[in-house]
Structures are given as structure tokens and as C-alpha cells.
Amino acid sequence: ATLDDVKGRGELICGVNTGLTGFGAPDANGNYQGFDVAMCKALAAAVLGDASKVKYIPTTGETRFTALASGEVDVLVRNSTWTFMRDVDLKFDFVAVNYYDGQGFMVKKDLGVSSAKELDGATVCIQTGTTTELNLADFFKANNMSYTPVTVADDSEGQRQYLAGACDAYTTDASGLAASRASMPDAENHIILPEIISKEPLGPLVRHGDNQWGDVVRWTYYALVAAEEYGVNKANIEEVASTTQNPEVKRLLGVEGELGEKLGLDKEWAKRAIAAVGNYGEIFEANIGSGTPIGLARGLNALWTQGGLQYAPPFR
Amino acid sequence: MQEQLVFVRNQMLPPEAPPPGQKGIARWMRENLFSGPMNSALTLLGLLAVVWLALHVLPWLMHSVWNANSLNECRQIIQDRWGEGATGACWAMVRERWHQYLYGFYPQDMYWRPNLALLLLFAALAPVLFSSLPRKMLWITALYPATGFWLLWGGTIWAPVVAMMGFVVLWLVFTVLQPRLGVPVSAGIGVVAAAVWWMVLQAPMTDALQSLAPLRIRAVDSRDFGGFLLSFVIGVTAISASLPMGILLALGRKSDMLLVRTLSVGFIEFIRGVPLITLLFTASLLLQYFLPPETNFDIILRVIILVTFFAAAYIAEVIRGGLAALPRGQYEAADALGLDYWQAQRLIIMPQALKISIPGIVSSFIGLFKDTTLVAFVGLNDPLKGITQIVRADINWKGIYWEPYIFAGALFFLICFGMSRYSMWLERKLKTDHR
Amino acid sequence: MAEHAIDRSKMKVSDEVAVQITQMNKWYGQFHVLRDVNMTVHKGERIVICGPSGSGKSTLIRCINRLEEHQSGQIIVDGTELTNDLKNIDKVRSEVGMVFQHFNLFPHLTILENCTLAPIWVRKVPKKEAEETAMHFLRKVKIPEQANKYPGQLSGGQQQRVAIARSLCMKPRIMLFDEPTSALDPEMIKEVLDTMIELAEEGMTMLCVTHEMGFAQAVANRVVFMDQGQIVEQNEPREFFNNPQSERTKLFLSQILGH
Amino acid sequence: MAEHAIDRSKMKVSDEVAVQITQMNKWYGQFHVLRDVNMTVHKGERIVICGPSGSGKSTLIRCINRLEEHQSGQIIVDGTELTNDLKNIDKVRSEVGMVFQHFNLFPHLTILENCTLAPIWVRKVPKKEAEETAMHFLRKVKIPEQANKYPGQLSGGQQQRVAIARSLCMKPRIMLFDEPTSALDPEMIKEVLDTMIELAEEGMTMLCVTHEMGFAQAVANRVVFMDQGQIVEQNEPREFFNNPQSERTKLFLSQILGH
Amino acid sequence: MAFVQDAPKDSFRLSMLIYDTRYRSLTIQVVVLILFMLFLSWLLNNTIQNLAAKDRTFDFGFLLSRAGYDINQRLVEYTNDSTHARAAFIGLLNTLLSAVVGCILATIIGVVVGVLRLSNNWLVSRLMTVYVEMFRNVPVLLWILLAATILSETTPNPRDFRVTPEMQAAGEAPKATMLFGIIAVTNRGTDIPEPKFCVGKPREECDADPNEGGLGIIDLGIFKVSLNLLALLVVFGGSIFATRRLKRQADATQDATGVRPVTWWKNLLILVLPSAALLWALGLHFVVPELKGFNFAGGITVLHSFTALTLALALYTAAFIAEIVRAGIMAISRGQSEAAAALGLRPARTMRLVILPQALRVIIPPLISQYLNLTKNTSLAIAVSYMDLRGTLGGITLNQTGKELECMLLMMGIYLTISLIISSCMNIFNRAVRLKER
Ligand SMILES: Nc1ncnc2c1ncn2[C@@H]1O[C@H](COP(=O)(O)OP(=O)(O)OP(=O)(O)O)[C@@H](O)[C@H]1O
Ligand SMILES: Nc1ncnc2c1ncn2[C@@H]1O[C@H](COP(=O)(O)OP(=O)(O)OP(=O)(O)O)[C@@H](O)[C@H]1O
Ligand SMILES: [Mg+2]
Ligand SMILES: [Mg+2]
């Protein structure tokens, strides 16, 4: 089973993006950073007790699913959309949704367009190898509009083409659009159109059939969400662990109960994960939140208590 | 008539200088630049092209910035220095990231290891390329695969040592059996023995030796290889591993056994008939279907294997050319002396054919080296696209286009141009050598 | 050579001038190859040019049909002066045949096509006629049966004879030979020389660079000795060989006849 | 050749059979090259084979050490029949030396290495011993001083002598020569022939394709004349040259002695 | 004469399998065959096991299902409702288009550069050397990326062509104008006029019709045939046939009289007139691209991804072709042109009758292998996202369906077929022109 493999190996192999700003990319020293990467780190901390015991395998749109299917990676955290076909036909398990995204459009302000419905006849830049091209086709068809797709291989290429004016609109997940916009010298000249034309639940996925490993990934993720719900964060985790009276938090942090053992891990798995990368909110803020150049609002990804969709099932 | 016929010159005329218009810069210009209306037009066109290019590229190059932390900072500096609307090159990116272009994510404190490996590579190549060096140096060449591997990947020294011992086993088995069973059979048994060694004894042996004498350096994961280091590793490994395979394929293609010939031709034509990129995708997408379930190894290794196949098909054709250039007499003389097929190949034919093929092998290497950039498409960090993509994913450098391409392109040019000059020199030298 | 008696009676030399070279100089860059060359060739003359290697023999002969340009002096071939005028050059070339050391047959054409190419395209002779002429000359050089083979299928001697036939097909008034036998095996030299002797017997004006002294004695009516780009001595063959005047000629002859 | 008196006394012919060819036929595709060849060579015989070009001389001699395969009939060399059996072929080849028209030395090996290669790898002689033998034979062909040069640095004659020495190093019982002198300049022919004569004087069994009739008269004890793949005439040399029987032989001799 | 009679009679022994030259090769081949079969069955077995383990099937049925994505360059009709097979076909056509255009361009550039490199103009030959070395020694991928970048960075936006009423009022000119008023180079592509046909209808009506008008088209189900094109092909074929006849006549006249009649203007007329007449009859006119909305409409858009890929491949390959051409011409010894000159042939004729026929034999085989390389290199379209075979079948289709094995095998098979066709052409050529030698 994968869990045993990971433990035996002493290293978690995590499939990530070859480079997507804010979500996963190596920095000048070769250290991977980003929202998706933090998930890998949390997992490593939970399973192996050390957040740095991760090997990152950059995967492209074409190679990602094969890498997971062939066992080259243990888990794929690479902003992949959860779809029926991928889940059922390609035989993967999407264990959770760590980012609710949707496909949007970015256009230059001076184009004078304020709605995606006005894009009839436009040239649209779009990444290949994703679900976006299907959504795009469907959207234009549904609105009885025509368009010219300009397919691009990766985000940086898409941004380049868009900036150069090779397309009128750039479409990808709204988070990606925001990241791109943030890095532009004249961010104020670009707007993201209000229409979100698709649901893009992004999340980590594992191979079908290895339910134990799937559970580990799923609950590690929910531990991070739950931590936010209960106000547990990197800074106060030790203090909370020793003082909390909330039985659920106790169970979460391994003070009480044996949730960890049930997963095949130890008591403090979730505590380690939270201590290593912080809770969901912290991860969000550190990598893509409004404090970063990317500046994404929480939106759908706020906790359910704050009008979002992030919701951790009970730890019991 | 007879009188006028006879002529004897008593005084020899000294040589004279050519008439005016036959020398000097004016003549050179007239002959080389303006020797006709057509030529003059061409010259002017050429000049125009050069000037146009200079006008467009020079200002950009002149406005270079070397010190900045992000693209925006670069743009700011350029505007401050050369005024609103000026454009310029932002080499600060190269300054910050050059090590990734050269070494990928290889740990920075261990750059000496790939450097040393490269130096040793030259030492190992020297005796092959310069026949004047002492033959003893060939030992460096023979040991290089192990040392090079160990330096680059690190880990215990015993792993490569034990692996090399597998070759020793192969050789021992071969030499013991060969007089009785002939070359093909004993080579086959040798390979089987070596395979057994590697599969059964390699791991325990390594561990035992390691515990006896713990000699190890820090291990580096092949995922950390990138940039030109990756290109060199793939290129050099594939070319050297493809040589034996290419020789066998070339011999197979020349064989008079129909089946052997068909298989060789089939392999060569198949590999040469499909684009390298599909082979790379095979490495990353299809190999998992063809290998036994649960086998799983490094994508770099898989890529190297497929690239080796690719190179082998081309090397086989190069060597076939070398074989064709050998006169028939060499085969006949070897036969007449009573040498058998393999002895003749090893002692007479191959040494000569390989020598003739060296320029072809070098140009295959250049081609392959350039093609290693394609590994970007299976998610490896090649120096051109892979690393550039990573750099551009950094929010600081998002939006930089020309500089990374120019930098990587210039390095490629230097390396490839150097090698192609070298191979031309070799070709000339080989032509004047023997025969 | 001595096998069949050469009929010198037919080899009449007329008074008409075929080639007239006056004060001709030529440089290759700074190098003065031909110095003040003066030479008059009459119709029907057979001139053999010899001299040490590099003395400018080939250059001289190649100037005569303007394969090389001369820089000063005058060359008049059959009444036409060689200048930069293309028409004159064309005229001269179609009247002067040339045979090279390395045959220079066109390997992609059959023997017959080699021979008819120039007549058809330069002289505008109908194909049929050109072929007849070609066969006539091929018969003369004794290889009519090879007409439909390719040059690569012939021996060196045969190729050189084809080259001669090819020149003859243009019905030239003057033939130039540049060491026609020196790339040939000994057995083949004879067949080529025989062809040339036959040509001489028919009264062709010939300038021939060769070191075949037997040929010179048998056929030439004048031997020209060149050294360092100048004509050092010229004489009637018997006199030239038996009684050379200049020191250089003596030295050269002693070397060449020595072996 | 006539310079030094050839000592025919040593050239004894024994009764033992060295090569026995019976009813041998060979085809190249549809082309019948050798037709019903019968020939017996005794130990110590020196046989010269001559005939027009394309008559199958080379093919015959190459069949004897199986460089070419024959299709019917029998060839027995030193008691071993040449069949498809590799062992027999190896055995025959190590007992029969062969010298080619174009020397076929190995250009990437020194002269000494050329000579020791086969003894070391085929006869499994220790290297030291092989080198001594090689030097002995190099001395015999009078070029011991060239031992460490490469073939490309030697003249044609020297190369051919090395080729002879190379064959001798295998201590063959029979030597085959295929026009050993025809690729050589005249001056060099003599040095090679001298070496061969010496070999003959020592009693080596030799089959030699050559057109050097002087050599044949001096050394051979039998001359075989072939035409169109068949042996047309064979005789003792003096008789063969002075009194040829067949018309073809006469024609051939007249041509070859003609020039 | 003692006759040695110990020759063993042929009776089969086991050792003959190894030592007898007749059986030996048979033995080896049988062993090789067995090993090869074992290897094959091992591969097959693995594949079957792996497929089973992943619970996948091996079938090409997905090719007939709806593709669902759009392709921006299509030579024949395609919508996102078409099948994956059709998408792959579009991709194949795009690959072939890029390869064919690339080969033609590369040949033209390569020949010009190769000849100029031999020219005695110092400056030009140096420039050409720089060009050749630059392109040969840098990965082709870089040239593709650079070409794409240059094309989209240095060309104007479609909006820059727009003339707004305010601008008109102020008398300002738009930032960019169309070349010759008919070609618009924007940073998306090059818009060129589209030929349209029109018979018996007002032009406006024809232009409104998305089909090309004229004689119309026949729908054969899988694909459609344009009758206009067909008619044009027939007429042009006829013209070519006629020029052939004319050439043969000229040859005959030359053979008979020695003088070759001047035919070039007749040829020109025969080639141009009938086709022109037909086109006129079909009502050929060009619809000039016009700025409508975001983009130019009405013309044909040549995408920059196509231009960049094709141009970069052509320039890269041309560098190699230039070397081949140079080597080919230099391989023809000076003696050949001297001999021709000595026979009185003019330089142009020498080139045509003597040098070229020989040089072509040397040039064409490596030239064709360069074509092969270029064709294979079109798979680098991935770098600029041109929708070639790899982009459709091996890209989006593979991604959407997850049928890696099927897609990759099919794709390799197609590439292999193309390569084999090209190289067999080369073999036929080689055999046809081999010089006869002794
Ligand atoms: N194209 C050239 N450029 C420069 N120098 C040349 C050229 N051709 C010939 N030469 C030089 O001119 C001199 C005369 O050459 P030429 O070929 O006429 O000599 P030759 O008498 O025919 O000698 P050979 O007997 O070797 O043919 C030689 O020194 C030669 O090196
Ligand atoms: N490999 C071959 N395939 C087909 N025909 C061949 C082959 N080798 C030789 N021949 C033909 O066989 C005939 C005999 O050839 P062989 O070389 O034995 O003649 P030869 O007597 O040695 O002639 P030469 O004096 O020219 O060497 C010739 O007609 C030749 O064309
Ligand atoms: Mg000369
Ligand atoms: Mg022969």
C-alpha cells in the first residue's frame, strides 16, 4: 500500500505543477513554494514527521495522470479539476477540494468589454491539456457566439501571448488569472470579467483502490481546514494542545482518542501537519491571499461559517 | 621558316609586379564586393541587412541592466537611466538564476562534483580522440562510467564499484567460455551472469561493503538535475551507451542472415521514422504499460533509455557508413589469415571503421545535445524551456521573454559550434592520416 | 610508336597563322606566371611544349582558349583576338578543341551524348547529323561499340580517346592537349598516342603539352621548352633533343631521358 | 631476375599431395566462372597460373582457401576437404598463406603488429615468440628496420613484402599469390619477385597468378593457362613458352610478350 | 597421383548446427527468432497485465466519440461536435501543411544561401556563413520559440488598424495599415484575401454564403470536394500536358534542324490563359479581410503559430540544406565546367546541362533526409501550440480520453508511415540516377 511505501521510503513523492505562480514553483534556491506545495508538506509532516521529506515531481498537463497512475508519484496536488471522467474513467480518487475555482476571462480594460457575452468573434488564449478548452467550447456554443482559440502550452506562455495582444481574452481558472494579473506591470489596465463559466473544484488526487492512503490525504487536508475552524494556527498550536477543552480539538491534535492510529499514523499526525504549514487560512494567506502579490480573495474558499464552501467533516 | 623556328633565350626575365588595378585594397574591393552589377547589389543588400539588424538590436543590448531583483525593478532602472519608453535587456535575471541554467537544482554547495565529472570526462575522452596519448589512459575511460555516476549522483561508492564488478564478471565468464563456445554463446552467458550479479548480488554486496568500509558522499536525486547539466548527462550517457548498440545494429544490418537483418533494419527505421518527441512521450506515458507491473523507475533514466535507442539508430547508420568505406580487401585479408568473424571485427574492422566514423559520431552528438531540450515536454528541466518556465513562474520574473532564450541559445551555440569545428578538424586530420 | 611508319608527308605546314601570341603576360595575384611569351603557330603545325613542373605550360595552353585570362599582350586565334568580348571568346572556343589530363568526360551522359552535346547546343547541328558525326569520330578513335555506355564503364585509355573524339566532333581547327597521357597506365598510353598521331597525319594543328619524347620526335615539327613562365628554347625536334642550346634545356633533358 | 643464379636444386617436389582439386565448378549467379577444374599440386611445387583477364584465375586461387565457395566438385587441401564445416575452413586457412594484389595490410597496425596479429589470435602463440618470428621473417624480406612504422609510410614494394612476411608468420605450408606485382611500379616489382624466388628456393609450395613471364620461367615447375574458366593448357615452363600447343595459348603469349 | 579419399560423406550431425556454414546461420536465426518472440510476448503480457491492473481496455472506439474541443486552423470542415478521429485528421493535415510549406521554403532558402555561400562576394558569403552556423548550432526549439515571440511581439494589434470617428475628425492615421491595402499582419496572424467564386448571382449574395460559391461542392459524407478546385485542376493539368507536348515538339524540331524554337512565351500563354479564363468564368474575386469586431474577418487568417513553426523549421533546415547544396556543387570538379567551357558552352547552359544533373545526384538523397527531419520536427508544434497531429491526437484527445496507449501508438504509426513514404521516394530516386560504373 502507498502508505507503507511512503513510510518505508522515508519520503513522500508529490506531483506538482512545473511552475504556476502561487500554487507551486521552485524558487531561486530550488525550494518548492506555493499553495499546492503546502499540502504536500503537510502530508509529509503528518506521515513522516518532517515537512521537508518531500520529493517534488513537476508534471505537465499531459504527463500528470500517467505519473500518478503508474505510481511514479504518491499523490498529485497540481490544481487538477475534479470531473466525473477523471474520477470514474481514469480511475482516480479526488479526496477533497482544496480550492474552489472557476474558469474566467481576463481582458484589457481598453477593449471596452465588460461581460463575457460580448466576446463574440474574439480570439481567446487557452491552455491545452485541461478542462478549460471544453468549457470554453461549451460556453461559446451555448451563447451562440464564435471565437478563435489560441492554444498555449503553459501559463507563462499564455500570459505572454495575452500581453502581446495575440488574443483578446485570456481564459483559465480565475485564480490563475488573478496570479497573472498580479504580475503584470500595469495590473490596473486588466480586468477579470464577472462571468465564471465553469465549476473548477481543484484538489489532490490519488489512485483508485488504495483507500487507506486516500483517507490519509483526505483527513490531513481536513485537519488543516478544521484547524482554521477551531482557531488553531502555527503560532498557538502548542498552547492550544495543552489548554484546550474542546473534545474535537483534542481529538484533532491527538491529545485524546486514537484517530491517528486508525489512519495507520501516530497520535500527533495532524498536529505536526498544522505546525509545519499552518492551518488552511494561513496557507491561503501565505501563498495566494490578499497579502501576497497575487492577492486572491477567499471567496468560495472561505470557511462555511464565513459564507464559503470550505467545510471539514467532524473528527470523531 | 626553319630560322624563325629556332629560338633560344639567353637571359631569363625576372618576375615583375602585376599591372596597376591588380593589387591593393581597391582591387580586393572590386573583386570581392563589386565585381559586377549583381554582386554590387548583393553587397548593398547585405550591408543594409547588417545595419538594420544593428539599429534594432544594439540599443536594446546597450540598455542592459545587470543588478536588479525583479523585472519591474529592471524596467524602472531602464526608464530612469535612458528615459521614458526606452527598452533594454534585463540580465539581472541571468545573474540571479545562472546556476539554475547550468546545474538545475543540484545542491549549490556541491557544484564541484559535476564540474569535476566534466573535467574527468575530458580526461576520459582524450585517449579516444587523440591516438598519440598513451594507451594506458584508456583505463580512465573504462572507469569513467562508475566515477562519473558516483560523482553526480553520490551515495555510497560501493554501488558503482559493485556494478562495475558485474562487467568484470561478464568479461571473466566470456574469456573462460569463449574458446570453447564461441563468441555469441559465451557473450550471451556472460550477459546472463552479469545480469544475475546485478539483480541478485548487487544490493547485498553493496550493503555489506558499505558496512565494512563506509565510504559515501551525499546522494543527489536525479530530479534535481537540470539545465545544461541535464543536457550533458543525457547526451553523454546516451551517446556512449548507444555506441555498442549502434555497432551491433550496424553489423546486424550488414549481416547476410535475413532475420537478423530484418530486425535491425526494422528497429533502425522505426526509430528514425518517428519524432524524438513521441519517443519521449513513450518514456513518460507508455513505458509503464510495457514493463512488468509495479516496476517504476526514474523518469530521467527512462528518458535516457529511449534517447539511447534513438541515438543508437543514428549511430548505427554512421557506423554503417564507416564500414562501407573500408575496402573489401581488409575483410579478405583477415579471412585469409584465419581470423574468425568476431576476431576480424574486433581487431581489424571496427578499429578502422570507428575511426572513420568519429566525425559522424561527433555530429550525432551535437544533434542529440541540441535535442535534449525536448525533454522539457515531459516535465524535465532542460536549459531552454524547462528552466525558463520555472524562472517565469517566479512572480519577480514573470513576463521576461528574450533574455533567457538569448542566454541559453548563446551557450548552446558556443558548445555546439566548438564541437562542430572540432569534428571538422578531425575530419581533415583523418583524411591526411593513413592512406 | 615505331611499329607503323609515320607518314610525315601528309603533315604539311601552311603559311597561314593559326595562333599568334605577342608579348603576353599573366599573373596569379602577385605571382608572375607567364612572362613576355611570344609564339606563332601556323596552320598544320604540331607543337610539343615541355618543361619542368610549374613552368606555366598548362597556363599558356589554357590562355589560348581563354580558360584563363591574360593580363597584358595579345592572343589572336584564327584571326580573332581574345579580349573580354564574349562573342570572340565563344567563337574561339568553338574552333579550338581541348583535351585534358583527367579526361573530364560528363559522367551522367553516355559516350554518344558526350560527343553530341556541344554540336547540338553550340553549333545547332540537328541531332541525327550530330550523332552521325559522333559515330564517325568514335570509329576513328576505335571505340564505336562503346557509344551507349557511360564513361564510368570505360578504361582510362578509352575515356581519353572519347575525350579526343568529343573535341573533334566540334570540327575544331586547332587542338590543345594538356598532358593527355599522364593519368594513364602504360598499356593505355599507346592507344591514345596512336590516336593523336593519326590526327597529326591528317594535318590538324596541334599544341600538345606532353613529356612523351617519343611522340615529340615522331610527330612534332617544333618543340618548345618553357621554364619559369618563359619560352627558353624552341627548335625542330631532332635538333632540340640532340643538340640543346640552353643550359636549362640540357639539364631538363638529361633528367627526363635519364630514366 | 636473371641477375643471381637461381638454385633450382633445392626446389624439390615431393610425391605428397598438397592441393587436390577435382571436377570443381563455380557459378556467380548465372555466370559459370569455373568449369570442371581438375588440378593436383604436390608439396614443393611452384605453379604459375596465367590467362586473359576474367578467365577465372583469381577465382580459382580464392577457392583454395575458401574466400569463395565452390558449388560442385571437391577441393582437398593438405588432407582436409573444404566443405561447409567451419572447423575445416579454419584449419585450411591457417595452413594456407595468401598475398593479394593490393597488399591489404591493416593500416591501423604497425608492420610488426600486422605480422603478429594472426599468430597471437589464431595460433595462440605468446606475444614475445610471435614478435621474434615476425622479426625473423621481416629480416628475410629485408625490411626489419620498418617494423614499427605503419603501412601507409611504406612504398608499395615494401608493403607487398610485408604482406608476404605476414603470411609467412603463420608458417603456412602453401602460399597463394594473386598478381602480387601488378599494382607496383616497375622498380618495385623486382624486389618483390626476389623475395618470392627466395621463398621458392626454400621449398615452399606456391600457386601464383602472375603475368611476369620471367618469373615463371625462372621459378615455376609448371605453368597453367586458363581461359573462360577452364584450364586450357599446362606444361613445364620452357615447353609452355617455346612450344605452346593450343591456339589460345599461342594468341595469349603473342599478346603478352608483344609489348 | 595419390588420391585423398577421406572426405566425410554428408550425414547430419548435431555439431553441424554450429560449425557448418549452411546450418549455422539457420541456427542463429532460429535462436534470434525465439528470443525475439519471447521478448514480444513479454511486452504483450506486461501490457495486458498492466491494462488489467488499471482496469482499462485497449480499443479505438473513443475515436468515434465527440471531441468537444475547437481547433483554430482547419483545412477541412471541423466543429467541436466532430469526432476525435476527425480531429486527428485535421491535425494530420496541419502537420502535412506545415511540413510541405516548410520543405518548399527550406529548399528555396537553402539553395539560395548555398549558392550565395559559394559566391565570390566576400560580404555576402560571410553573412551566409554566419547564418548557417547560427542556425545549425542552436536547438531548433529555440528558433521556434523565438520566431513565435518575434511575430507576436513586433506586430500590431488588430485594434491598431481601427479608424474611429474621432480619429477621422482629427485627421489622424491609424497606428497600423494593411500591406497594399489587402494584407493585414496582426499579432495573431496574417490575414490575406480569400478567393471566392460566384456564378450567376450578385456578388453580395455569394459573399454572404459561407461556402465558396461558383460551381459549389459535392458532399461525399466524410469530406467535401470543391468543384471549382476540381475544374481548375483539370484545366491546369491540361495546360501542363500541352506544354509537355510543346516541349516535345521543340525537342523534335531541334533534333531535326538543330535550332531550338523559342517556346517560353508560348508556354507562358498556355499555362496562364486557360486557367485565367476559367477563373474569370467562375467569377473569381478576392474578399479582402476587414476589421470586424475584435478581429479581421472575411479573409483567410494564417495563424502565427503556423507561421512561426514553419518559418523556424524552414530557416533551421535551410541551414543544413545550404551546406548540402554547397557540398553538392563543390563535389562536381572544376574540370567539368572547364571541359564544358572548352567545348564552347555558355555558363548558364553549362549549369543546366552539365553541373546540375550531376550535382542533383549528390544533393537529393541528403536533401530528402532533411525533408524527413523537418517533417518529424513539425511535432515541435507543441512549443507554439499549433494544432498538429501531436496537438490533437497526441495532445487534447489523449488528455480528454486518457487513452495514452492507443493515441501514442496511432500517432507513431502515422509518423512512421509518412517517413517510410518519404524515404521510399528517396530510394526510388537513388536507384534511378545511380551513375553507371565499371
Ligand atoms: N589558379 C591558380 N592560382 C594561383 N597560382 C596558380 C594557379 N594555377 C597555377 N598556378 C601556379 O602557376 C604556376 C604554373 O602552373 P601550370 O599549371 O601552368 O604549370 P605546368 O607547367 O603545367 O606544370 P605541370 O607540369 O605540373 O602541369 C605554378 O607555379 C602554379 O602553382
Ligand atoms: N563477386 C563476383 N560476382 C559476379 N561475378 C564476378 C565476381 N567476381 C568475379 N566475377 C566475374 O568472374 C570472372 C572471373 O573473375 P576473376 O577475377 O577470377 O578473373 P581473373 O582471371 O582473375 O581476371 P584478372 O586478370 O582481371 O584479375 C570475371 O568475368 C568476373 O567479372
Ligand atoms: Mg600542367
Ligand atoms: Mg584477378
Side-chain angles (χ1 to χ4, degrees), chain D residues 20-61:
Chain D
Q20 166 88 49
I21 303 176
T22 340
Q23 286 292 333
M24 195 256 276
N25 279 279
K26 172 162 181 60
W27 287 261
Y28 279 124
Q30 288 295 310
F31 177 52
H32 199 172
V33 218
L34 292 179
R35 310 181 188 173
D36 271 353
V37 175
N38 286 295
M39 185 156 142
T40 309
V41 183
H42 293 264
K43 286 237 164 87
E45 271 200 297
R46 285 100 31 213
I47 295 182
V48 161
I49 303 171
C50 62
S53 181
S55 56
K57 310 179 295 292
S58 302
T59 311
L60 171 63
I61 214 171

Side-chain angles (χ1 to χ4, degrees), chain D residues 46-239:
Chain D
R46 285 100 31 213
I47 295 182
V48 161
I49 303 171
C50 62
S53 181
S55 56
K57 310 179 295 292
S58 302
T59 311
L60 171 63
I61 214 171
R62 289 155 61 88
C63 280
I64 295 178
N65 70 349
R66 192 74 173 191
L67 285 181
E68 304 283 353
E69 200 175 316
H70 60 281
Q71 272 103 24
S72 77
Q74 221 182 15
I75 304 181
I76 299 173
V77 180
D78 218 29
T80 316
E81 183 180 353
L82 276 170
T83 58
N84 287 314
D85 190 331
L86 275 181
K87 278 197 191 142
N88 284 355
I89 297 177
D90 282 347
K91 193 161 160 230
V92 166
R93 282 189 181 159
S94 68
E95 279 177 7
V96 177
M98 177 143 188
V99 174
F100 300 85
Q101 180 177 9
H102 292 288
F103 335 141
N104 293 342
L105 293 181
F106 305 132
H108 62 300
L109 301 177
T110 63
I111 302 306
L112 192 63
E113 286 165 349
N114 261 285
C115 293
T116 56
L117 184 87
I120 291 179
W121 291 95
V122 179
R123 284 233 188 282
K124 318 278 183 209
V125 176
K127 188 167 173 202
K128 194 106 183 267
E129 200 184 314
E131 284 182 352
E132 273 162 20
T133 322
M135 285 312 295
H136 167 244
F137 284 112
L138 285 177
R139 235 170 280 129
K140 192 148 166 182
V141 300
K142 307 208 176 58
I143 31 177
E145 70 285 359
Q146 313 281 6
N148 290 313
K149 289 201 183 157
Y150 283 89
Q153 299 168 299
L154 266 53
S155 76
Q158 290 174 321
Q159 289 194 41
Q160 193 60 298
R161 283 184 284 156
V162 172
I164 295 176
R166 180 175 71 176
S167 292
L168 292 179
C169 284
M170 288 290 284
K171 309 249 169 89
R173 308 221 189 152
I174 304 163
M175 286 286 286
L176 310 175
F177 295 84
D178 190 0
E179 311 206 22
T181 55
S182 63
L184 297 178
D185 293 344
E187 317 108 72
M188 295 169 181
I189 293 180
K190 190 169 165 297
E191 59 189 53
V192 172
L193 288 183
D194 282 351
T195 311
M196 289 168 62
I197 290 171
E198 220 174 290
L199 214 58
E201 285 176 349
E202 287 173 10
M204 175 67 77
T205 315
M206 291 163 70
L207 275 99
C208 181
V209 175
T210 184
H211 290 145
E212 290 294 329
M213 292 306 146
F215 173 78
Q217 277 172 327
V219 179
N221 64 335
R222 182 145 47 116
V223 178
V224 175
F225 174 68
M226 290 186 69
D227 191 19
Q228 292 180 11
Q230 17 201 331
I231 296 182
V232 174
E233 181 163 352
Q234 63 177 335
N235 212 333
E236 181 266 329
R238 197 157 317 166
E239 271 297 294

Side-chain angles (χ1 to χ4, degrees), chain D residues 15 17 20 22 40 42 66 69 74 76 79 81 83-89, chain E residues 1-10 13 15-16 18-22 24:
Chain D
D15 264 356
V17 174
Q20 166 88 49
T22 340
T40 309
H42 293 264
R66 192 74 173 191
E69 200 175 316
Q74 221 182 15
I76 299 173
E81 183 180 353
T83 58
N84 287 314
D85 190 331
L86 275 181
K87 278 197 191 142
N88 284 355
I89 297 177
Chain E
M1 271 195 218
F3 198 75
V4 194
Q5 189 49 291
D6 62 33
K9 277 292 139 235
D10 263 11
R13 276 163 292 115
S15 71
M16 283 171 77
I18 298 179
Y19 290 117
D20 191 296
T21 45
R22 280 167 301 176
R24 186 186 164 84

